[in-house]
């Protein structure tokens, strides 16, 4: 048995493989990332999302319009009540206004 010079001097060992195992695995985070990746690939999701946002915006506009209408009616009712109270407290003021004095 002879000594082979080339096998011992020039041989390189294979590098050890990296084997990382995380100590904590977040299944929820993994699912969310998977859902996001699927949503990015799915074009109908974007359409649904835009449709949802448009619908919400329209509902918000309608709600604001109805609230503005209610607040206007409330203001008018308070104004009428205040004028009626003022009329009963100081009727001579209104008589002077109507008489043109």
């Amino acid at each position: 048995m002879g000594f082979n010079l080339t096998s011992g001097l020039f041989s390189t060992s294979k590098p050890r493989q990296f084997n990382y195992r995380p100590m904590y695995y977040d299944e929820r985070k993994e699912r969310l990332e998977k859902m996001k990746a699927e949503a990015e690939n799915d074009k109908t999701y974007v359409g649904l999302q835009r449709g949802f946002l448009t619908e919400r915006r329209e509902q918000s506009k309608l709600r604001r319009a109805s609230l503005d209408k209610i607040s206007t009616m409330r203001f008018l009712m308070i104004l009428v009540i205040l004028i009626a109270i003022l009329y009963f407290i100081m009727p001579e003021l209104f008589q002077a206004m109507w008489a043109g004095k």
Side-chain angles (χ1 to χ4, degrees):
M1 299 209 179
F3 178 70
N4 192 353
L5 199 65
T6 58
S7 67
L9 290 177
F10 300 108
S11 67
T12 57
S13 61
K14 290 187 177 183
R16 291 179 51 185
Q17 290 194 354
F18 182 72
N19 189 13
Y20 172 73
R21 293 184 186 160
M23 294 176 70
Y24 175 75
Y25 175 71
D26 191 359
E27 184 179 343
R28 182 176 180 270
K29 182 178 177 182
E30 191 75 25
R31 274 195 324 249
L32 286 174
E33 288 177 358
K34 183 179 177 184
M35 288 171 62
K36 285 180 186 178
E38 288 175 0
E40 288 175 0
N41 294 334
D42 190 12
K43 299 298 178 188
T44 58
Y45 174 75
V46 175
L48 289 174
Q49 187 178 21
R50 285 185 184 151
F52 175 73
L53 292 176
T54 304
E55 183 179 322
R56 290 288 301 249
R57 193 176 304 122
E58 292 297 322
Q59 288 175 352
S60 178
K61 283 181 184 178
L62 291 173
R63 189 176 310 122
R64 264 185 268 134
S66 68
L67 288 176
D68 288 345
K69 194 175 192 180
I70 290 171
S71 65
T72 303
M73 292 298 294
R74 184 178 298 143
F75 173 75
L76 290 175
M77 290 299 294
I78 291 172
L79 188 65
V80 167
I81 290 171
L82 286 176
I83 290 173
I85 290 172
L86 190 62
Y87 176 76
F88 286 113
I89 292 175
M90 300 187 324
E92 60 276 350
L93 176 69
F94 285 93
Q95 289 173 357
M97 285 175 38
W98 286 330
K101 292 184 182 177

